[in-house]
Amino acid sequence: MKIILGLGIGSGHMRGRNAFNELACSPGVLLEVLEQRLGLSGVRPSQGRRIAAYRRALELRLESGQTFYADSFQSDPFAVAETLLGWRDDLLLNGMEIDEIAFDSERIDCLREVEAGFDSTFRCSEGERVRQVTLQNVTSNSAVDSLKVVDPQEWLSFRWQCLVPRLQPSEYCPPKFEPSGDSDLGRFQHALLNSERHFDYEDDGSIEFITGFSEAVLAHATAQRIAEAGESVALVDGDNIQLVDEALRRLDEPICGIATKSRARPIPQLLNLALQ
């Protein structure tokens, strides 16, 4: 199989191409492919069950004495468990063996103690899975004929930097950004590439500024532009992209599907249910 690997590659990367035995994917998809080839795939617990299990491990650690998360845990144990589980998974993905090494950090050492009460059934983070695949004979058993990585090697997390060389990638092809000609857009791109604070703006139409009386009006205008332009549109996520999603939905266009990150989401959901 010929694989193109990139951190930002989505399912539609090869849309419109007739390709056989080729796959363009993100690291998460490649991990699933390798696990299937190596016989390591299987039913894994959901993230919700992992958070619940980690909450129990945090409770066990609190029984032996106070710790840095005690007050927050008393107020919202599941939110604390979700956050600290994310810390744990990130540490493992970036090479820290928190269950084996004591660090000169109160919080990391506390997470190592929590690990003793964390059920091994739920120790299936991306870092742990990548480490397990790396320990296998991936060179001969992964059925990867060629691998092209479209990101610089240093952009990959530590665990992936250990695994990818074993797959013998043909090349790393980091994206090259070149200013697009002598235009406002080109001069703006040049300023960004060179960390310049100003550029000469001539109002030649290559950059357009749109203002409105409200964010909702701007979101509707953006959705209309996207609908008129077709597929060749890149939308950079802003602080309130949900308004654009709502405008796109009203125009019967595909939405971005970006949800709010607020932890208060269940509250307005319960309010709607109560009113109904």
Side-chain angles (χ1 to χ4, degrees):
M1 178 179 291
K2 300 177 181 179
I3 294 179
I4 301 173
L5 178 66
L7 297 175
I9 293 181
S11 58
H13 180 76
M14 302 185 73
R15 184 182 304 161
R17 288 180 52 190
N18 294 321
F20 173 73
N21 204 30
E22 293 185 21
L23 176 64
C25 64
S26 63
V29 175
L30 176 59
L31 179 58
E32 294 178 356
V33 171
L34 294 175
E35 288 175 330
Q36 184 178 19
R37 298 281 185 174
L38 296 169
L40 299 174
S41 59
V43 179
R44 295 186 178 85
S46 66
Q47 185 67 4
R49 292 185 60 199
R50 293 188 72 230
I51 293 172
Y54 204 69
R55 182 185 68 84
R56 290 193 292 270
L58 292 172
E59 284 180 328
L60 290 175
R61 171 60 183 83
L62 278 174
E63 291 176 359
S64 61
Q66 290 294 305
T67 184
F68 72 92
Y69 61 83
D71 293 340
S72 299
F73 189 83
Q74 184 176 4
S75 300
D76 194 340
F78 279 96
V80 172
E82 180 182 12
T83 299
L84 296 187
L85 180 61
W87 289 8
R88 170 198 181 272
D89 292 348
D90 285 342
L91 289 173
L92 290 173
L93 186 59
N94 288 281
M96 282 190 175
E97 305 291 351
I98 59 176
D99 56 340
E100 299 175 3
I101 302 175
F103 297 92
D104 188 20
S105 168
E106 176 188 356
R107 294 189 175 189
I108 296 180
D109 288 342
C110 179
L111 293 181
R112 179 176 57 85
E113 296 169 358
V114 171
E115 197 72 8
F118 190 36
D119 192 333
S120 60
T121 305
F122 302 97
R123 298 181 185 181
C124 54
S125 66
E126 181 181 346
E128 290 162 306
R129 292 165 59 197
V130 174
R131 178 176 59 180
Q132 187 178 20
V133 170
T134 306
L135 295 174
Q136 309 300 314
N137 186 12
V138 294
T139 304
S140 59
N141 296 331
S142 62
V144 177
D145 299 321
S146 68
L147 174 63
K148 179 179 178 181
V149 185
V150 298
D151 294 308
Q153 186 174 8
E154 59 269 19
W155 287 11
L156 302 175
S157 62
F158 176 82
R159 286 295 173 196
W160 278 103
Q161 289 188 37
C162 295
L163 174 58
V164 169
R166 299 198 61 191
L167 298 173
Q168 301 177 353
S170 58
E171 57 182 330
Y172 290 89
C173 300
K176 296 180 181 179
F177 303 101
E178 297 291 341
S180 55
D182 184 20
S183 63
D184 285 339
L185 179 59
R187 287 186 288 273
F188 178 58
Q189 292 169 334
H190 184 275
L192 290 177
L193 290 171
N194 294 279
S195 301
E196 299 174 359
R197 296 177 61 88
H198 305 282
F199 71 99
D200 296 328
Y201 179 69
E202 298 180 359
D203 194 15
D204 60 11
S206 58
I207 296 180
E208 186 176 3
F209 296 95
I210 303 176
T211 60
F213 293 106
S214 69
E215 289 186 343
V217 173
L218 290 174
H220 185 69
T222 301
Q224 286 182 320
R225 294 296 181 91
I226 293 174
E228 294 169 358
E231 291 188 356
S232 58
V233 173
L235 181 63
V236 180
D237 181 12
D239 292 333
N240 201 359
I241 197 67
Q242 292 80 24
L243 287 175
V244 179
D245 260 5
E246 293 171 4
L248 288 169
R249 186 180 292 109
R250 287 195 294 268
L251 295 177
D252 198 26
E253 291 290 326
I255 64 174
C256 303
I258 300 175
T260 175
K261 298 179 181 179
S262 169
R263 296 190 182 279
R265 280 180 293 167
I267 296 175
Q269 290 174 2
L270 290 174
L271 177 60
N272 291 332
L273 289 174
L275 292 174
Q276 290 177 10

